[in-house]
Amino acid sequence: MLNINFALQATTAIALIGLVGTAQAQSVVRPIPGPTAPAALGLGPVAASAPTSRAIARWERLSAAPQVTPGEFAIEGFGAGSFLPESSFNDADGELATQRAGWGARFGIDRGDAGRALIEVELESSFYDFGGTQNVLPGIDDPFNDVYSTRLAGALSHPLSDNVSVQDSLEVIFAGGDETKLDEGVTVGGSLGLSVAKTPELSVGVGLAASSRLEDDALLIPYVSLDWRPTERVRLRASGPELRLDWRVSERIDIGLEAAYAQRQYRLNDTPTGQSAAFRDEQIDVGAEVGFRPFPGARLALSGGYVAWREITLLNDGEKLFESELEPQPFLGLSLSVAF
């Protein structure tokens, strides 16, 4: 058993790649109330049902930085988070408010005729504020607060011919409470897709995504993809659980509209009742984002919208201890990325 806890992960991301050592420190990246950007707008963990399906699209934006030239590495650092106000449970008493804060880095390279590659390291802290409920874990008013996740992912896009390319990806996520052992909260996912460029402005594709789930059966989901650029300033992308429309208003301002599904999973700390349950949080966000580039390579974005559907599930030894949807709720976000 490894004794690295998830609070340490939030301060030492690169060290986790080696999976060595033990500690009991608290994270310096704490979720705080305030405007942040949700995962569904492309800066948080990708939905586990479609691992890194957006990684290549992220490379497209990263490689667009003026200082990045083909054949060289592109590096982007980013920070983001989300604020979701209180929302009532449909099938239980009480409310839930959620705040998230995260940061990470992406490393990309354009390999010319050999395609493109991207590596991502991402850390996120989430704070769940339960109110007026003892239904999630019987007899416990506040079953848990802070949980942490560390995501390591890679994606490749390599051509088979002039108009056909293969896109594949792999991700590993470690997620849980601050006392959770590393190997108890690990999930693994991957995807494999084939993309065909019908014209320089339009490509379509199909693929298959797989992901393990804590205390539940693994997912295996086929998906279709679309990438259409009707003009130099407008781009429509659809892949698996995400649909996004981008409009580059000017060299400094862009606007995006998006609908996306996201899933987070955590292994919780042991409770006073002796349970070490798995917690799953799923949601569908519909929102808009306004991006501003104060200087080349930097992007500041404000986002907002609605969580159209959200469901939380608590499982232990494969048994559902609690499951309930939440009333629809708004979200507000802020993010910053800088490419080098």
Side-chain angles (χ1 to χ4, degrees), residues 141-152:
D141 292 325
D142 198 5
F144 64 92
N145 308 112
D146 298 12
V147 286
Y148 309 90
S149 69
T150 296
R151 176 175 171 270
L152 309 175

Side-chain angles (χ1 to χ4, degrees), residues 53-62 227 235 237 242:
S53 62
R54 289 176 287 177
I56 297 301
R58 290 171 175 172
W59 161 254
E60 297 271 358
R61 191 177 74 188
L62 175 57
D227 191 341
R235 184 176 187 180
R237 293 194 301 261
E242 179 191 40

Side-chain angles (χ1 to χ4, degrees), residues 4-48:
I4 302 177
N5 60 56
F6 288 93
L8 179 62
Q9 292 174 37
T11 60
T12 55
I14 304 303
L16 288 177
I17 299 176
L19 306 184
V20 178
T22 62
Q24 294 296 326
Q26 288 293 316
S27 170
V28 298
V29 181
R30 312 296 286 181
I32 56 175
T36 52
L41 292 180
L43 289 169
V46 175

Side-chain angles (χ1 to χ4, degrees), residues 188-221:
V188 180
S191 64
L192 178 64
L194 190 68
S195 178
V196 179
K198 308 294 290 184
T199 69
E201 296 80 23
L202 175 65
S203 63
V204 295
V206 295
L208 193 64
S211 175
S212 64
R213 291 194 294 176
L214 299 176
E215 301 282 356
D216 210 339
D217 296 332
L219 292 174
L220 184 63
I221 301 176

